[in-house]
Amino acid sequence: MKPIKKFLPLSCPSCASPLKVTSLACEACDTTVSGSFELPLLARLPADDLQFVIDFVKSSGSLKVMAQQLGLSYPTVRNRLDDIIANIETIEKNIKASR
Ligand SMILES: [Zn+2]
């Protein structure tokens, strides 16, 4: 059977509120830690946004290099970054509002 690629769910499927981590497990010794842990900001980005951020850092923050690697125009990549910046600002506001 082909392994299923699973994505970390970021919001509640029932009410759409952000999810927290309440359990972590060590696969080596089967220890489980439970509590209420906030996801780090970058982990709250959708998987494709997070991959863009990783690629951006690995290209030393060069949108020109990113555009070449993705086969997209510079303005397209610039718009994509602006969307991610807006997304990060919204997440930061939500984190502040929940404290
Ligand atoms: Zn362990």
Side-chain angles (χ1 to χ4, degrees):
M1 207 168 80
K2 206 176 158 194
I4 298 167
K5 189 167 185 192
K6 293 197 281 184
F7 295 95
L8 182 68
L10 298 173
S11 55
C12 173
S14 178
C15 77
S17 295
L19 292 170
K20 285 186 173 181
V21 175
T22 58
S23 174
L24 295 162
C26 173
E27 290 191 330
C29 72
D30 217 20
T31 295
T32 303
V33 180
S34 48
S36 183
F37 307 100
E38 300 281 350
L39 283 175
L41 191 153
L42 289 178
R44 299 180 198 211
L45 287 173
D48 54 336
D49 283 5
L50 182 56
Q51 189 58 55
F52 185 97
V53 171
I54 291 166
D55 292 342
F56 183 63
V57 171
K58 285 167 78 176
S59 69
S60 303
S62 168
L63 288 176
K64 201 178 150 190
V65 171
M66 288 283 291
Q68 280 169 357
Q69 282 173 352
L70 297 170
L72 299 169
S73 72
Y74 181 91
T76 302
V77 177
R78 177 71 240 184
N79 287 339
R80 183 80 210 288
L81 180 62
D82 287 341
D83 290 345
I84 295 171
I85 291 169
N87 204 351
I88 287 173
E89 286 171 349
T90 302
I91 293 167
E92 284 176 332
K93 270 184 209 153
N94 292 339
I95 291 171
K96 265 189 186 168
S98 70
R99 279 183 185 150

